[in-house]
Structures are given as C-alpha cells and as structure tokens.
Amino acid sequence: MRTILVVGGGYAGFYTAWKLEKKLRRGEARVIVVDPRPYMTYQPFLPEVVAGSVEARHAAVSLRRHLRKTRLITGAVTRIDHANRTVTVRPPVGAEFAVDYDIIVVTAGAVTRQLAVPGIAERAIGMKHVEEAVAIRDRLLTAFDQASTLSPGPERQRLLTVTFVGGGFSGVEGFGELLALATALIRRYPELRADELRFHLVEARDRILPEVTDKPGEWVVRSLEKRGARVHLNAQLLDATDGHVVLSTGEEFDSELIVWTVGNAANPMVHNHTDLPIDSRGMLVVRADLRVGTDDAPVEDAWGAGDDAAVPDLAAPHAGAATVPNAQHAVRQGKLLANNLVATLRGRKTRPYVHHSLGTVATLGLGRGIFQYHRLVIKGLPAWVMHRGYHVLAVPTWERKVRVLAVWATAALFGRDIVSLASVQHPRDAFVTGGDLVLSGADAPRS
C-alpha cells in the first residue's frame, strides 16, 4: 500500500485529504497530513472573528474530527528530499524525525510578507490565523476599557487609534469589520465620543482592493471615509517604533493597535529546503493538472496546489498567467488534485485545472459589502447578505455551517458580545499577582 504525504493542512491540503478519504478504496493507499496546527483556518471568516460575529473556534475546522482515516502528524516540515522520498518534521516537542512516503502533495501555503519597517516586529499583529483575529478584537476592547478611565488627551487618543497596513481583501475586510465594531462600542461607553475614534488604512498603491475594478474600489474608499475612517493611498509605513506611526506622506500619529496585512510571501521551506523545482518567486512549479514540474519535465510522484504553487491559469485571457492565491482556487485545486491522484493510481488520465471566477465579494462591516462579477456591481446590504450566504455554504462540513448560523442568529437577537478576554494571553498573571492587579493587552507582563 502506497503512502501519500500531504504537507500542510490548509485549504488545499485539507480538501485533498478529505477527498482522498472518500475516493480511495480500502488498502489502495494510506494518507498522512503534516501541519503545525491541528485545524484548518477558514480565513474568510477571520474579519468576522475580529468583529465578534463568528466564534473563533467556528472558523477553525478540526483535522482530527473530519479526517478520520488519515494519520495526522503535528509538526512543521522543514525539508523535502524527494530524491529519497523523505521529509524532515520538526514537532512542537522533541527532536526532528524523518517520515518516508511514496507520493508527496505540497500544500504548505504562503506566509505573511514582512518588510523591514522599524517597530513592526515588536508592535504589529498579522491577520492570517484565528489567534491573531482574536488578539485584534481583544486589544480593541481592552483599549476602550482603558480609554474610558482617562481624561481627553494624547494617551486616550492613542488608545482609540487603529492602523491597518495593506489594502488588499484581508486588510479592507478586517478594517471594515473592526470599524463597525468600534462604532457600535461607542454607544456602550458614554465616557467616549465617536469623533475620538481614529481609524487609518495605509496602502502603498493608488487604490485598494485590486481584485475589483477602479470605480467599485473608489466607492469602498468613499464608504469607509463617510464612516469616519482615513484611507491613505500612495503611502508607505516608514516607522512604527513604540506605536508611533510615520508615513511617507509626512503624517505622524500614535496608534495603540497596528495590524499588518500587506500580502503573502513564498513559504521559506518550499523556497529554500526542497529539491523540487521552484520558480523565480520561490513558488513550486506545477503543471495544469497539478503535477510538479513541466509538460516536458514532470516530477514523478509529486503534486502541488494552493498558495505556494504556481498553478497555470488556463481561464486567464493571456498565456503564462498563474492563479491568484485565494480560497476559491485553493479549495477547487485540492479537490481536483485528489481526483487526479486517484486517477493516476488507477491508470486513468488526469484533468487540467480550469476555473472561471465566480466573482468577488467582500464584507465592509455589519450590513455593508461589495460584490462584483464582470460589469455587475452590487453594494451595501445585498452584497453583505451575499457574502454571508456564500461563505456559510463554502465553509466545510455541516457541523461548522450550523454552528456559524447559530451564532449569527443569536447576534441578530441579542447584539454583539463585547467582553474582552485579552487576559487569556497571559493566564498566570492573576496567580502571580494574587489577584491584586491584573494587567491585560500590551501592558501585561510577559510571565
């Protein structure tokens, strides 16, 4: 029985393994998934986790619960030696060890792109994982609690200032949802005024949301600014030391919360620690049927998909384009990869990956959204409803769909939950201080 090793349990990896469990015959092959986390993050729900509209655990799909026939290894693959059909795994505890395989599926995913901006490594929070989305929400709620005890002034203004760096989908959706949460919170804090909120979105290009055309993107900017936000286009973050933000436009301000959403970079393991072919961007070279290699030089028993693979986009109007790294492609690539792998095991032909976009939809906060499909543009509440409808259908497993719908129904009846649990990031503080003084958020001691 052959061993299929899946590197990464994200979108593409999870759907590959999930589909293989359904397609493989008894004794045909065994499947192993290696991932540092025990769950797949459904990233389109992270902005709603930030806003408290979706519970954090409901945006995380348990691998052990849903991949019941798959062997799961918790750890990070640090090297792929395909010549010897071996990977090196670094577990959370203990020494590295080798895992042998017959067929490898590389779906390790991309990582957050980091730039050498002073202060970012010390102050910023990303928005790629559930833990980060929860931390962003808790940091804002804690800042409101702290600001409500202060008199108007620079310190109170700093606590009520939020900065998002990056105007792609992740940044704009997170920004819009957090702005909606902050606007709703003001009504619960009579000590604070709405005009004290300072929300800044910083984008280096001359527009946000590159996935939509110019006019819808301009409408999103106007919509955010009408809600009190400030969108800085053609602006770069030069410094964020101690939370003091310095922009290339000359503007400066202090910000309690800085969220970094400038896009993805090639996975360092794929880029530097594999003998599989990679391109100039550090992406895995794959064919249209998701085999690693080219039509002239395929790599036997190696497959790839998702954000770390340069998958040819056969639906693009010009040749040579690769699919963009988003959920639509990763999910469908994972399913096709499983089908093609099974077809290969049984001596059948594989199919190329071709997917025509279903359109682009984004949430901009509770009751606000935008949808575009070619020339059709829908704005406001209808687009927001479409966003929720699409993603509740797209999130894997009926169990997750029901949980998310239940939370939405509860929020519709009783409103948002506005309790900060930032103290869980430092669970020993209450024990160490004896309960006399418990700090939270950025001011908590690192014990």
Side-chain angles (χ1 to χ4, degrees), residues 11 41-49 59 173 327 363 387 390-391 394:
Y11 284 119
T41 302
Y42 190 72
Q43 291 182 351
F45 276 157
L46 292 188
E48 298 212 44
V49 172
E173 288 193 314
T363 175
H387 177 274
Y390 172 78
H391 285 299

Side-chain angles (χ1 to χ4, degrees), residues 198-234:
R198 298 286 188 275
F199 268 68
H200 299 270
L201 177 62
V202 181
E203 171 53 49
R205 293 167 292 188
D206 61 354
R207 53 166 300 177
I208 62 174
L209 292 180
E211 294 86 352
V212 302
T213 52
D214 289 344
K215 288 187 178 180
E218 293 168 359
W219 177 85
V220 172
V221 171
R222 292 195 302 271
S223 174
L224 293 174
E225 290 179 338
K226 285 180 182 178
R227 294 160 60 189
R230 176 72 190 279
V231 180
H232 305 265
L233 300 177
N234 294 311

Side-chain angles (χ1 to χ4, degrees), residues 37 39 45-52 54-57 122-144 146 159 161-164 174 178 181 185 256-260 419-426 440-443 446:
R37 288 178 168 81
Y39 57 83
F45 276 157
L46 292 188
E48 298 212 44
V49 172
V50 166
V54 169
E55 287 293 328
R57 284 185 173 85
E122 296 78 17
R123 297 287 303 190
I125 303 175
M127 209 178 79
K128 196 175 181 64
H129 302 290
V130 173
E131 301 92 334
E132 294 171 322
V134 172
I136 292 168
R137 169 181 165 79
D138 285 343
R139 185 72 63 85
L140 180 76
L141 293 172
T142 300
F144 266 72
Q146 294 173 346
L159 289 167
T161 300
V162 174
T163 304
F164 272 65
L178 197 66
L181 173 61
L185 281 176
E256 167 64 13
L257 177 58
I258 301 174
V259 183
W260 185 262
V419 176
S420 169
L421 295 179
S423 58
V424 302
Q425 299 171 38
H426 313 285
S440 59
D443 298 320
R446 305 297 179 185

Side-chain angles (χ1 to χ4, degrees), residues 255-409:
S255 183
E256 167 64 13
L257 177 58
I258 301 174
V259 183
W260 185 262
T261 62
V262 296
N264 295 327
N267 191 297
M269 185 277 294
V270 175
H271 187 270
N272 301 318
H273 304 291
T274 175
D275 56 354
L276 296 171
I278 59 172
D279 65 13
S280 59
R281 299 174 299 157
M283 308 287 281
L284 193 67
V285 176
V286 300
R287 310 188 322 179
D289 64 356
L290 306 180
R291 294 175 188 258
V292 173
T294 63
D295 292 336
D296 297 328
V299 178
E300 186 178 359
D301 296 330
W303 303 75
D307 292 354
D308 61 1
V311 180
D313 189 353
L314 301 184
H318 54 277
T323 58
V324 297
N326 63 22
Q328 274 192 43
H329 287 301
V331 169
R332 288 164 177 80
Q333 288 169 11
K335 293 178 179 179
L336 177 68
L337 196 157
N339 287 336
N340 281 348
L341 208 162
V342 171
T344 301
L345 291 174
R346 298 173 186 172
R348 299 203 302 262
K349 290 184 178 181
T350 59
R351 294 189 297 110
Y353 176 74
V354 183
H355 172 63
H356 296 275
S357 175
L358 302 177
T360 299
V361 64
T363 175
L364 303 174
L366 191 64
R368 301 176 176 90
I370 186 165
F371 168 82
Q372 182 174 17
Y373 178 72
H374 298 305
R375 295 184 179 181
L376 174 64
V377 177
I378 300 175
K379 307 169 185 175
L381 180 62
W384 177 79
V385 172
M386 293 171 68
H387 177 274
R388 283 204 163 183
Y390 172 78
H391 285 299
V392 80
L393 291 174
V395 69
T397 80
W398 279 102
E399 173 252 349
R400 276 295 176 268
K401 299 179 197 297
V402 172
R403 289 182 186 273
V404 170
L405 284 171
V407 172
W408 284 343

Side-chain angles (χ1 to χ4, degrees), residues 6-30:
V6 181
V7 180
Y11 284 119
F14 173 82
Y15 276 95
T16 296
W18 203 26
K19 195 79 170 180
L20 283 173
E21 286 193 347
K22 299 175 182 179
K23 291 285 185 178
L24 289 171
R25 299 166 182 157
R26 183 183 296 273
E28 190 171 20
R30 65 172 63 89

